[in-house]
Structures are given as C-alpha cells and as structure tokens.
Amino acid sequence: MPTGNSSLIENLEDLRKEVFSALQGAGDLRALEEVRVRYLGKKGAIKSLQKGLGSLTPEERPKVGAQVNQLHDEVESALESKRDALESSALEERLKKEQIDISLPGREDRPGTPHPVSILIDEISTIFARMGYDIYAHREIETDYYNFEALNFPADHPARDMQDTFFVGEGLLLRSHTSNAQIHYMEHQKPPFKMITPGRCYRCDTQDATHLPLFHQVEGLVVAKDISMAHLKWTLETFLRELFGPKTEIRMRPSFFPFTEPSAEVDVWFEGKDGEGKWLEMLGAGLVDPNVLLACQIDPEEWSGFAFGVGVERLAMVRYGIKDIRMFYENDVRVLRQFEGQRQSWRR
Ligand code: FA5
C-alpha cells in the first residue's frame, strides 16, 4: 500500500487502466467472474485499497477515500453492463443453435389400434348380441371340476388327452377351453337362455403355424325346449355368414366331445384368389350332453341345448389372410397397423 497521497492517486490510475483492460478482455461470463473476484472480491485489489485507507492521514483520507470509492462504483457498474452484454450474446447464440425448422413436417401422432383378435371378439359379440345372446366372462385359472369333470370328462378318461393342460398346482390349472364357463353360467341361470363367452385358453401345445399355447375361443351355449342340431346349424350358418359374407357355406362332420352328444366339427368353405377352394376347420359343437345339464341341476327331460367353441385366431387368420398364427403375437407393428380402421369396415 503506497503511503503518500500522490503515489496512491497514481496507483489508482494504473489500477483503473488495468481493471478496464481486464474487463474488455473478458470474453465470457466465467472470465468476467474471475475479473470481479480479482478486483472487487473480498481479497480483491480495490477492496484492499479500501481497507488500507485507515493508514492515511486524516486530511488525506476523505479525498483518497472518495476516489477509491468512485473507482469501486465505476468498476461495479462496468462489470454489470459487461455481464448484461455477455448474457444476451450467449442467449442469442443458444437461440441460433436451437432454432426450430418450421418447414419440417410434424411428427405424426399415432395412438395404437385395437389388436385384430380384440376387433374380431368385438364383432362376434355384436353379432350374437343382436341375436339376443348374453355376453359372459369367467375365470382362466380353474379347478379340475369345472374344466373337465362337470363337462363329463371322468378322471383318467382318455378324452382328457385331447387337451394338453398346464397344471399350476393345488388342484388348479389354466383352462384349456372356454367350456368351463358353461358350467359357471348354468349354476346361476335358469333356462331358457342364450349366451356366448369369449376369453383366453391355454394348452401345452407346441407352437406352429396353426397352434399357440395361449389362444382365444368364443363359446356359445343355448338351453331351451326341444333344441336340435337344426337350431345349431342355423345359428352357426347365420353367424359365419355375418362374419365372412352371405354366400359362406359350412359343413358339419361327426366328431366327439365328452360334453356334447352328438358332436360335430364345423368347416367353412374358402375360395382362394386363384379360384381354388378348401374346407377349413373352424370350431367344435354339438348338443349338450344330458350329464352336463344334470351336473348343473337342470333337468334333461325338460330342457335341451346346443354348444359350440370357436378359435378366434383361426377365424382371424382366414379373415385377414394371415398364413401363420404366430404373427398375431410377434407384435410387429407393421403387421398390426394393417388392421387400423378395420372395426368400421368389417362387413362385406
Ligand atoms: C374345444 O376346445 C371344445 N371345448 C369346443 C366345443 C365347445 C365343442 C362346445 C363342443 C361344444 P377343440 O379342442 O377342437 O374343442 O378347440 C376348438 C377350436 O379352438 C379349434 O377348432 C381351434 O379353432 C381352436 N384351437 C384349439 N387349439 C388351439 C391352439 N393350440 N391354438 C390356436 N387355436 C386352437
């Protein structure tokens, strides 16, 4: 700290020049902050000058003190304007970098679409609801009783081998068909009634082009007076014609299910684009076995019924021309997006 008045004033002049050239040289906010700390900080040059004023004579002190304070204020306001200038140029640069190209086309907002199997279940439900059917749903984790026994599959009967089952312990299994819902429904409803029950089924089947371990069925059940195979055939024909068009032909072949007697497999005639046609198996059906009615406290002397179970993915394959059933669950959006808008245009 210089002692004499004149040398201190000279020092102040040098310091002023030094500070202002440092301010000019500060190219960004960080450099500016360094300048502030160096000259105005607690241990900065101007602050030390202010602290040193005490060693001056009482005559010198007010004059020199006023000059030091003036320098302090000048530097402070110069720092502030420099900070403003640097901040606005930094902002400008950022805006330039982040500029939005408003001529680019916007990103398309694509909210997903229903899965084709859901679309089909919806359509099937609509068709049957129009015919006065109740739409019913029941559980997928089931007891042996509802999946087999009440449906007239006695324990150890070879008919159980027709459905490779996932057992999940404690007498429970994943239902292998939607027929379990027939029993639940009949335990609570008095005939006459008509119902369908769509839902997931599980079988320990090896996956291939027509089989999945998880698939969907729609089960139908009608119990009333004097129900015959003619009612069943008319119902299935009406349903399949609604779904595939009015010229659709079906045929029934004798088959076997423990819970229907007689039983039938139902095929649909499909003509390919090349004009060649073939029968495709779509579902199982038959007249409800009297033992099933008895298991649900319904008198088979008074009531009779028909039932059917159709595979939804198999219907969807034909409907959408998909050759491999696994494509429905690979979740390739290029496949699934083809069904956008199908809900509105499904009827031929
Ligand atoms: C049954 O499941 C019987 N419960 C159907 C039934 C109901 C008959 C009421 C009589 C009265 P089936 O095992 O054939 O039958 O299966 C019926 C349909 O489910 C088949 O025609 C097929 O379309 C579909 N399906 C069966 N297994 C699979 C599988 N692993 N993957 C995809 N679809 C399948």
Side-chain angles (χ1 to χ4, degrees):
M1 179 85 200
T3 43
N5 183 349
S6 63
S7 74
L8 196 100
I9 304 271
E10 266 169 38
N11 266 349
L12 270 177
E13 271 319 301
D14 289 346
L15 189 58
R16 179 195 305 277
K17 277 185 202 141
E18 188 187 321
V19 179
F20 278 91
S21 102
L23 271 174
Q24 216 163 23
D28 57 27
L29 287 165
R30 234 178 68 192
L32 190 68
E33 177 61 8
E34 275 168 24
V35 173
R36 189 192 66 80
V37 172
R38 189 157 6 120
Y39 297 102
L40 293 186
K42 259 192 203 158
K43 293 180 182 156
I46 298 177
K47 273 277 181 305
S48 321
L49 272 181
Q50 284 172 324
K51 279 185 206 149
L53 289 172
S55 61
L56 295 177
T57 61
E59 298 81 47
E60 288 173 322
R61 207 176 296 146
K63 192 176 169 217
V64 180
Q67 293 202 15
V68 174
N69 286 344
Q70 194 193 339
L71 176 62
H72 177 275
D73 293 350
E74 272 174 41
V75 172
E76 203 169 54
S77 78
L79 254 164
E80 233 162 79
S81 10
K82 180 87 185 192
R83 184 179 297 120
D84 285 350
L86 284 176
E87 273 175 356
S88 60
S89 73
L91 181 68
E92 234 165 79
E93 208 155 290
R94 225 184 78 201
L95 287 179
K96 232 185 254 167
K97 250 195 253 160
E98 295 176 4
Q99 217 171 31
I100 297 167
D101 181 354
I102 55 163
S103 66
L104 274 178
R107 278 197 201 110
E108 207 183 336
D109 187 10
R110 300 196 77 156
T113 58
H115 191 276
V117 167
S118 304
I119 296 173
L120 210 51
I121 288 177
D122 249 28
E123 290 176 13
I124 296 169
S125 302
T126 307
I127 294 169
F128 280 101
R130 278 207 303 265
M131 294 200 268
Y133 280 62
D134 198 4
I135 317 284
Y136 179 68
H138 216 282
R139 62 189 181 211
E140 293 167 27
I141 298 176
E142 192 49 285
T143 60
D144 184 276
Y145 177 77
Y146 286 99
N147 197 77
F148 290 122
E149 212 177 309
L151 288 162
N152 204 29
F153 285 86
D156 302 325
H157 191 281
R160 289 189 177 218
D161 293 345
M162 289 174 10
Q163 301 183 2
D164 268 339
T165 311
F166 288 111
F167 292 95
V168 291
E170 293 176 33
L172 296 175
L173 48 89
L174 301 180
R175 70 172 176 191
S176 54
H177 51 181
T178 41
S179 303
N180 68 328
Q182 286 191 29
I183 306 299
H184 290 291
Y185 190 85
M186 285 194 279
E187 281 180 347
H188 296 104
Q189 297 286 331
K190 297 262 161 292
F193 54 73
K194 298 187 271 190
M195 75 90 167
I196 60 157
T197 175
R200 278 183 282 262
C201 309
Y202 305 82
R203 286 189 202 176
C204 205
D205 282 343
T206 310
Q207 286 197 42
D208 61 24
T210 52
H211 290 86
L212 290 167
L214 187 166
F215 59 97
H216 293 73
Q217 285 186 343
V218 174
E219 186 93 3
L221 175 68
V222 170
V223 176
K225 303 263 174 169
D226 303 322
I227 292 293
S228 71
M229 287 298 270
H231 295 110
L232 172 63
K233 182 158 190 261
W234 180 88
T235 304
L236 293 176
E237 223 162 43
T238 306
F239 156 55
L240 291 163
R241 283 180 180 168
E242 282 281 318
L243 204 60
F244 294 119
K247 294 201 178 113
T248 305
E249 287 301 325
I250 69 168
R251 80 172 177 192
M252 296 171 91
R253 285 179 290 112
S255 183
F256 171 77
F257 297 102
F259 38 96
T260 46
E261 181 59 36
S263 303
E265 302 272 11
V266 181
D267 302 338
V268 180
W269 178 257
F270 283 100
E271 248 164 58
K273 286 198 182 81
D274 48 9
E276 285 210 7
K278 58 179 170 182
W279 291 106
L280 289 178
E281 184 204 311
M282 286 290 136
L283 60 126
L287 295 186
V288 181
D289 192 288
N291 283 343
V292 176
L293 296 174
L294 279 174
C296 304
Q297 323 298 328
I298 294 172
D299 181 2
E301 297 295 326
E302 190 182 351
W303 303 101
S304 52
F306 68 72
F308 60 87
V310 57
V312 182
E313 284 82 358
R314 297 274 180 87
L315 287 178
M317 286 171 80
V318 175
R319 175 68 180 281
Y320 300 124
I322 295 217
K323 297 240 157 33
D324 191 319
I325 200 168
R326 289 167 289 200
M327 290 185 90
F328 288 120
Y329 298 106
E330 279 163 0
N331 292 332
D332 183 335
V333 289
R334 288 170 303 180
V335 173
L336 298 179
R337 279 196 181 137
Q338 296 176 77
F339 307 107
E340 272 176 359
Q342 279 282 345
R343 183 72 187 94
Q344 284 74 35
S345 58
W346 61 274
R347 285 188 110 215
R348 282 206 213 143

